[in-house]
Amino acid sequence: MEIRNEPDAGAEDGLVAVEGRNCLCRAKASRVSFLIDAASYFSAFKAAVARAQRSIFLLGWDLDSRTRLTLRGNLPLSWRRRGALPDELGALLRAVVSRRHGLDAYILKWDAPMVYVLEREWVPQAEFRWRSPRRLHFRFDSEHPLGACQHQKTVVIDDALAFLGGIDLTTRRWDTPEHIIDDPRRTDPLGVSYDPFHDVQVAVDGEAACALGGIVRERWRRAGGREPGPPVPFGDPWPAELVPDFTDVEVALARTYPAFRGWCEVREIEALYIDAIRAARRRIYIENQYFSSAAVARAVASRLREDDPPEVLVVLPRHSPGWLEQETMDVVRARTLRELRKADHKGRLRVCYPLVRAAREVPVTVHSKVMVVDERFIVAGSANLSNRSMGFDSECDAAIESAGNPAVQARIASVRDRLLAEHLGARPEQVSALLAEGSSFAQIVERLRGSERSLEPLPQDEAYLLSLLPDTDILDPARPVELELIAQRLVETRRRARLAETFLPGAILLSVAVVLLALVDSGVFGPAGKFPWHEWALPLDRTPVAIAIVACAYVAGALVMFPVLALIVATVWLFGPGTGFLYALFGSLISAAVTFTIGRALGLRRLALLPGARLARLSGLIARRGVAAVTLIRLLPIAPFTLVNLAAGAGRVTYRDFMVGTLLGMSPGIGVIAVLSLELELALQTARPAYILAFVVSLAAVAAALLRLRRRLLY
């Protein structure tokens, strides 16, 4: 990624946050508290919910009813006496709503695709709605462009207290600032432990909380929820034990919304970050889950190129938590940081990750989204420093600036020093004293480096790793790419030549796969060798019930939404390339037919109850264009296998069109999987040049076809 210098627009004199430019509003708050790490947030949330009188709004990227909010030994004594209330999120909400007449709870959770099914609570509606009081309202939020998400993590109670930030009310988030390795309290509902987790949430009251009440109501209405009425502050649900960091300040609220269904694009958070960076004089402190935003990177690079640039300390996770994110977002991050290091001609940039040590070393998972500029400005919220958080997903941040007020400056500095001290295992007073002496961030990181806690330099990735993935706009899109509209544009063309060109990559891919399958299976490259699982599957392969067993496995997998890709790979490994290809294709067709029939029986109305149901919007297109539409959706693919089958069935697509399109669309992918999985295994086992060459040729064919398809879709 190339980072270019741009003219410095700057913020208005005296203020960074300006209504209509980079924030929705500036609203007064009597109290503001920065809750560092989820132990403090979860405790404060439970205490506030216990005081709710009229309304509770919960918006989340994920919400899990099993989330334990307080743990023994983690609460002040006065809070522990409220033990009559349940400790799990779902049970707590049900209990509070049931006991308090006139109290309504509105729960809005992102309608996540099925790729997250193993990470999330299964059938959350059963917990939040089917077994809940009538005044507990639950909805999935799918009102966003395909591929985007509802990423706000906002809670509003009685329009008088609000929480916003990076912490979801879900599992595998709880931790304390000590980040103790192997802390027995840090486990998920299944009792599985996870690594130390750092995050930040902000609590606000007053006009700022009421303004957030308006934001969450707007989101609820967008998701199709019943009109809950305007925000009207009531009472004071602020927990008595929650000590404010700020009193009587203005809070600027900024949002990100993509353009969708007549709603205009909002990029306030991006503008707020850029203006704050341009306003920096001496120091910029950033901690974030990601760092791939091209716009923010350009602003930082522009400052680093100055003759006397500010120093910049960026705290990131060592790696993203999942293998997919490591192979995508971490590579994009590496490209971004490489360009920033090129701009850092004065050595003012330092990029680190927090590490804790005991019997072993464990990096802390950084999930927070915070930036502090000098002692004049602080912003925190849900927005990552990624392109998608700046223009693709729904986000909400809160910012406070000093506006020349020394007391506010001191509090901003105090929050920054607490964050930095936590990562270094030091006291905030030590950080403050060193900064007052004129020490740089780099000097403080070195001087306070402890034996148990430290900030380690983030290693620079090798150059060859940065070119393994496609352009950033695919991995981290800055704006929506509405795949429904792309599919419609491609499918509804009336020129046969253009339609043939659309499917040409798939045809070429299938031809190459079939040829290579035949060559490998015939032994032209030499004996393929026997693998233990082949010996195990050989008796099964020779029985007439083998294909029936495979078909049953695929149908069962489809019914529980098990990834069809895993089934295809397992089939090829068990039965070999030729037989495995045929069995996998047959199993895919049978399972598609079964789930298509289920979708037809359910219909669109009942299908709308399932997570991922916005796929039903493709049903009309599929019904109108038949084979071409089904083939295209299989070739992309733009949605999980089972949900496409359900949506197609519910949309009254003809059975013939669906099955023919599935056959044409699935064959290339299964052929590619068969070739690549087998040839890679053979190449690794035998190390023969012929097998290695076959794998390289297959991989090149896949890359060329995908590149051509990508260009066809986007241009």
Side-chain angles (χ1 to χ4, degrees):
M1 171 174 47
E2 179 184 0
I3 298 177
R4 299 180 298 275
N5 201 352
E6 291 183 344
D8 187 0
E12 292 187 3
D13 291 340
L15 291 176
V16 173
V18 179
E19 291 185 11
R21 170 186 170 83
N22 54 29
C23 67
L24 170 68
C25 64
R26 296 174 61 95
K28 292 183 179 180
S30 300
R31 293 163 291 191
V32 179
S33 181
F34 280 74
L35 302 165
I36 301 177
D37 298 310
S40 58
Y41 169 46
F42 285 0
S43 298
F45 167 81
K46 181 178 180 181
V49 166
R51 300 165 68 97
Q53 301 295 320
R54 291 184 175 177
S55 63
I56 302 171
F57 280 87
L58 274 69
L59 273 65
W61 180 84
D62 188 24
L63 297 164
D64 195 311
S65 67
R66 303 167 298 174
T67 301
R68 293 197 63 191
L69 298 170
T70 55
L71 301 178
R72 185 174 299 174
N74 186 42
L75 281 176
L77 289 175
S78 58
W79 287 15
R80 277 185 240 163
R81 284 194 290 269
R82 300 192 185 103
L85 286 175
D87 194 52
E88 293 187 349
L89 175 62
L92 171 69
L93 293 174
R94 289 193 295 273
V96 171
V97 170
S98 298
R99 298 177 188 182
R100 190 152 297 147
H101 296 292
L103 174 63
D104 285 82
Y106 302 87
I107 302 159
L108 188 64
K109 174 180 176 178
W110 175 42
D111 185 12
M114 291 308 299
V115 70
Y116 292 101
V117 68
L118 297 180
E119 302 178 17
R120 293 174 172 239
E121 181 179 21
W122 183 247
V123 194
Q125 283 180 309
E127 289 290 332
F128 278 119
R129 187 170 70 182
W130 296 341
R131 292 166 48 195
S132 298
R134 182 172 53 84
R135 287 176 284 108
L136 200 158
H137 316 280
F138 178 86
R139 292 193 69 86
F140 284 110
D141 189 345
S142 61
E143 290 302 307
H144 45 70
L146 195 63
C149 74
Q150 197 302 108
H151 199 245
Q152 296 170 348
K153 302 108 182 324
T154 308
V155 175
V156 180
I157 298 175
D158 289 337
D159 299 302
L161 167 63
F163 300 95
L164 74 162
I167 306 179
D168 291 287
L169 288 163
T170 190
T171 60
R172 304 182 74 87
R173 296 292 190 273
W174 185 92
D175 203 0
T176 65
E178 291 73 29
H179 300 306
I180 302 169
I181 296 178
D182 299 324
D183 190 332
R185 301 170 296 174
R186 196 174 55 239
T187 58
D188 64 16
L190 299 178
V192 179
S193 62
Y194 53 93
D195 288 341
F197 196 93
H198 172 73
D199 213 334
V200 175
Q201 199 83 350
V202 183
V204 301
D205 70 354
E207 294 177 3
C210 189
L212 282 164
I215 291 175
V216 298
R217 282 170 168 79
E218 177 189 25
R219 192 72 224 176
W220 180 261
R221 288 192 296 269
R222 286 191 180 193
R226 178 178 59 84
E227 175 62 52
V232 179
F234 182 84
D236 183 16
W238 186 281
E241 294 83 357
L242 183 58
V243 179
D245 293 301
F246 299 85
T247 56
D248 299 321
V249 294
E250 279 193 333
V251 178
L253 300 177
R255 305 159 299 162
T256 297
Y257 286 136
F260 183 68
R261 293 187 177 274
W263 295 312
C264 296
E265 179 184 61
V266 177
R267 304 179 73 94
E268 294 164 350
I269 294 175
E270 180 181 74
L272 186 65
Y273 265 88
I274 292 172
D275 287 342
I277 291 167
R278 289 169 173 168
R281 297 188 179 96
R282 294 175 299 164
R283 302 184 183 97
I284 300 173
Y285 175 82
I286 295 172
E287 56 180 48
N288 208 278
Q289 181 182 2
Y290 299 123
F291 200 116
S292 59
S293 167
V296 173
R298 283 195 296 268
V300 174
S302 177
R303 298 305 312 272
L304 290 173
R305 291 191 184 98
E306 294 176 358
D307 293 336
D308 185 18
E311 57 177 325
V312 181
L313 175 60
V314 183
V315 179
L316 301 170
R318 175 63 181 89
H319 292 296
S320 294
W323 69 268
L324 181 59
E325 290 175 304
Q326 291 177 19
E327 299 301 324
T328 54
M329 294 301 294
D330 283 5
V331 174
V332 178
R333 180 183 76 178
R335 293 173 181 168
T336 304
L337 295 177
R338 179 178 61 179
E339 299 301 321
L340 290 182
R341 289 178 175 119
K342 289 180 181 178
D344 183 28
H345 67 110
K346 293 288 188 178
R348 302 290 176 87
L349 173 69
R350 190 176 183 92
V351 184
C352 302
Y353 68 94
L355 187 71
V356 293
R357 302 179 184 87
R360 57 193 176 95
E361 294 185 346
V362 179
V364 177
T365 300
V366 178
H367 195 262
S368 52
K369 304 94 169 59
V370 179
M371 182 175 74
V372 185
V373 173
D374 297 320
E375 289 78 34
R376 64 177 297 192
F377 179 89
I378 183 170
V379 60
S382 66
N384 291 308
L385 290 184
S386 61
N387 290 322
R388 62 182 303 133
S389 282
M390 299 299 155
F392 193 35
D393 295 334
S394 300
E395 308 281 6
C396 188
D397 279 20
I400 297 173
E401 53 186 318
S402 63
N405 185 324
V408 178
Q409 288 179 354
R411 300 312 302 164
I412 291 175
S414 174
V415 174
R416 177 201 59 201
D417 298 348
R418 282 168 54 200
L419 290 168
L420 189 51
E422 176 182 316
H423 296 313
L424 294 170
R427 299 189 308 277
E429 297 79 13
Q430 294 176 279
V431 175
S432 301
L434 290 173
L435 286 171
E437 294 172 1
S439 298
S440 66
F441 280 142
Q443 291 170 332
I444 292 173
V445 168
E446 291 302 322
R447 288 186 62 176
L448 297 181
R449 180 190 187 97
S451 58
E452 297 181 356
R453 307 283 289 276
S454 65
L455 283 172
E456 299 294 323
L458 189 71
Q460 300 186 38
D461 291 288
E462 297 294 335
Y464 75 90
L465 292 176
L466 307 184
S467 60
L468 294 180
L469 290 176
D471 295 339
T472 301
D473 59 351
I474 297 297
L475 303 175
D476 185 21
R479 282 183 169 85
V481 179
E482 186 51 80
L483 293 181
E484 296 169 22
L485 298 180
I486 290 176
Q488 182 173 355
R489 183 186 69 184
L490 292 175
V491 172
E492 294 190 348
T493 178
R494 290 179 171 83
R495 291 175 53 188
R496 291 186 179 181
R498 290 183 63 190
L499 191 60
E501 183 182 355
T502 300
F503 298 131
L504 183 60
I508 295 174
L509 200 58
L510 178 59
S511 300
V512 172
V514 169
V515 170
L516 288 172
L517 271 172
L519 291 175
V520 172
D521 207 28
S522 65
V524 70
F525 296 139
K530 295 293 183 182
F531 300 98
W533 48 87
H534 289 169
E535 296 293 339
W536 176 85
L538 191 60
L540 176 65
D541 193 15
R542 291 175 177 173
T543 65
V545 298
I547 194 167
I549 295 175
V550 170
C552 291
Y554 274 74
V555 171
L559 292 177
V560 299
M561 297 188 181
F562 187 79
V564 71
L565 173 63
L567 292 173
I568 293 170
V569 172
T571 305
V572 172
W573 282 5
L574 280 173
F575 297 103
T579 304
F581 172 82
L582 295 175
Y583 280 9
L585 183 58
F586 179 77
S588 299
L589 292 173
I590 292 296
S591 61
V594 171
T595 45
F596 175 89
T597 304
I598 293 174
R600 174 150 296 180
L602 288 173
L604 285 174
R605 179 174 297 181
R606 292 176 181 172
L607 184 62
L609 296 177
L610 296 175
R614 57 188 313 276
L615 292 172
R617 296 173 186 161
L618 289 171
S619 296
L621 171 63
I622 298 174
R624 291 195 306 273
R625 298 298 169 181
V627 174
V630 176
T631 306
L632 176 65
I633 293 169
R634 295 301 192 197
L635 281 173
L636 290 178
I638 65 173
F641 178 76
T642 300
L643 293 185
V644 169
N645 304 335
L646 293 171
R652 302 301 175 184
V653 182
T654 68
Y655 183 79
R656 180 189 65 84
D657 287 352
F658 174 75
M659 293 306 296
V660 172
T662 298
L663 175 64
L664 295 176
M666 292 293 295
S667 297
I670 295 176
V672 168
I673 293 169
V675 169
L676 293 181
S677 60
L678 179 71
E679 290 178 355
L680 177 60
E681 196 164 14
L682 290 173
L684 293 175
Q685 186 186 48
T686 66
R688 292 178 181 169
Y691 284 125
I692 297 174
L693 177 62
F695 174 71
V696 171
V697 171
S698 300
L699 191 61
V702 173
L706 291 179
L707 180 60
R708 183 171 179 80
L709 185 58
R710 173 182 174 273
R711 289 176 177 172
R712 181 71 183 91
L713 288 174
L714 297 180
Y715 303 106

